[in-house]
Amino acid sequence: MIEIGAQVDLSHPPERVWRALTDRELLGRWFAEAETVEGVPDRMLLRTADLPGFEANVEVEVTERQKPDLLVLACDEAGRLSELTCVVTATTQGCRLELREVTTRGGWSVEQQKPREQQLRQALTVRLPAILDWLAFQQVDLRRADGGMTAELPLIGVRGRAGRNPRRRRTLVAVVAGAVLVAGTAAWVTLPPNGEPAAAPAPTTTASPIVTAGGTTVAPTATPSARPSLTTASATTRPSRTPSAKPSRTPGSAVPPPPPPTPMVARYQTDSSRLFGYTGEIVVGNPGAAPVADWAVVITLAEGTTVDDVDGANWRQDGRSITFTGAALAAGGSQTISFDARDSRPKAREPESCTIGGQPCAGL
């Protein structure tokens, strides 16, 4: 009998983790693509043939189910039989997921066991938390109030359609009111005090005098060259504020900003301990939809601890600070870093901190 296992502490409720374990589409996102077997509701085929540590696809069948705490699967990998037990335990921060696989017929070679266990650990500590975070976001109710906006509505387009006509009406009213005010001001300026008729300036153009009904002769009205109209001056010196000067905000013209990139994630664990030292392991993951070219993991060692053997990354040491860097990570990809630490004390001490992109690593 050969046994492999892994566990992870998650900041999600057991019900959400249970869904990620039993939903076929979600299972394909964090572990392996799954297909249902026709006529057998509790049986699926996992596409694991191309995963490290697996030689063929695995056919699984549920033998025990206690939602959301326990799930037991009978696994058949090209005649090699095993039993996979998934235990979900509620914690104050969320829950703990433990996976344990035991062979019941046949077994894995030494070359298979380590990459198989590593693949399982990476799926639990990197890809599963990312999928759970995404699932939690999908379940958030973003409604601000009854009858208010929701995340499904095109906010920019709605705002443009609802606010465009009132703003245009307000602009037109302001223009008309301004024109009336200017005209009234011009009339008030041209009137002399005490209601006396104003003396007409000398005409600059030929015009016939106007004779009123009482026989009084008055000069023709002053032309714009003698005294410009305030209305004309206002029109030439002040641009017209019409709706055409402001582009319409329609859903077609609004371009939403690009979503922020998904941050890299990492998880630390002490792989093995010994007298005056230990072996540490960091799994770096890219849960985003685009590759990441540059990443760095920084750990701070305990006083008196040194590192002298690193696998899976480039590294440099500055005092107690160790910086690991590596090649670009594809979308959904991961990279495992292992290092050998020597401690001046008989009892090994884990690193004091671990960060990636300024964010703390899980597991420490």
Side-chain angles (χ1 to χ4, degrees):
M1 180 182 67
I2 303 176
E3 176 181 337
I4 63 174
Q7 71 177 32
V8 60
D9 290 320
L10 302 164
S11 57
H12 295 272
E15 292 76 12
R16 187 175 296 142
V17 176
W18 178 267
R19 181 179 172 186
L21 290 173
T22 56
D23 186 282
R24 181 176 62 86
E25 293 185 3
L26 292 178
L27 189 62
R29 291 176 178 267
W30 67 271
F31 183 64
E33 293 185 5
E35 298 178 4
T36 57
V37 177
E38 187 176 357
V40 185
D42 285 338
R43 184 175 296 178
M44 289 190 300
L45 181 67
L46 300 180
R47 296 293 183 181
T48 56
D50 296 330
L51 297 180
F54 291 83
E55 291 183 342
N57 296 331
V58 177
E59 187 173 336
V60 300
E61 183 176 1
V62 177
T63 59
E64 187 174 356
R65 183 202 312 261
Q66 297 178 16
K67 181 180 180 180
D69 304 320
L70 177 65
L71 182 67
V72 182
L73 304 173
C75 307
D76 183 351
E77 182 187 355
R80 184 185 294 110
L81 305 183
S82 63
E83 184 179 71
L84 179 64
T85 303
C86 310
V87 179
V88 182
T89 306
T91 63
T92 56
Q93 301 298 325
C95 69
R96 173 175 296 169
L97 173 61
E98 298 179 73
L99 266 64
R100 176 173 172 266
E101 186 174 13
V102 179
T103 58
T104 56
R105 189 176 74 184
W108 307 294
S109 64
V110 177
E111 292 76 14
Q112 286 180 298
Q113 184 174 350
K114 185 174 182 180
R116 189 185 187 99
E117 190 168 15
Q118 187 177 33
Q119 175 70 20
L120 180 62
R121 188 179 302 152
Q122 289 180 358
L124 287 184
T125 60
V126 178
R127 293 189 292 273
L128 176 59
I131 290 301
L132 291 173
D133 291 342
W134 171 83
L135 185 60
F137 177 77
Q138 300 300 311
Q139 296 172 340
V140 172
D141 185 2
L142 297 178
R143 291 175 298 179
R144 296 183 177 90
D146 291 338
M149 300 298 184
T150 68
E152 291 76 19
L153 294 178
L155 300 181
I156 293 179
V158 171
R159 190 181 300 116
R161 291 194 295 270
R164 181 177 55 189
N165 291 337
R167 184 180 294 112
R168 176 173 294 178
R169 288 196 294 271
R170 289 197 297 269
T171 303
L172 291 176
V173 171
V175 171
V176 173
V180 173
L181 179 61
V182 170
T185 304
W188 177 80
V189 170
T190 56
L191 289 177
N194 302 324
E196 296 291 338
T204 57
T205 61
T206 59
S208 299
I210 301 174
V211 180
T212 63
T216 304
T217 303
V218 296
T221 305
T223 63
S225 61
R227 184 168 184 171
S229 170
L230 290 179
T231 305
T232 305
S234 173
T236 56
T237 60
R238 187 174 183 180
S240 174
R241 297 179 61 188
T242 63
S244 60
K246 188 171 184 179
S248 174
R249 298 177 64 187
T250 63
S253 61
V255 179
T262 305
M264 297 280 286
V265 296
R267 183 176 184 83
Y268 170 84
Q269 74 170 10
T270 299
D271 191 51
S272 62
S273 298
R274 64 182 184 277
L275 194 63
F276 296 106
Y278 62 90
T279 300
E281 183 178 272
I282 303 171
V283 179
V284 181
N286 176 17
V292 175
D294 299 317
W295 56 269
V297 177
V298 180
I299 64 171
T300 302
L301 300 173
E303 187 70 36
T305 305
T306 60
V307 170
D308 60 358
D309 187 15
V310 176
D311 184 26
N314 300 319
W315 65 288
R316 68 177 184 273
Q317 182 168 357
D318 183 12
R320 293 192 296 147
S321 178
I322 308 292
T323 301
F324 301 101
T325 57
L329 273 182
S334 62
Q335 175 68 33
T336 301
I337 306 169
S338 60
F339 62 91
D340 187 62
R342 296 183 179 180
D343 202 324
S344 59
R345 299 185 182 183
K347 186 177 181 180
R349 296 162 295 172
E350 292 184 338
E352 294 180 355
S353 67
C354 173
T355 61
I356 180 169
Q359 301 298 318
C361 305
L364 187 61

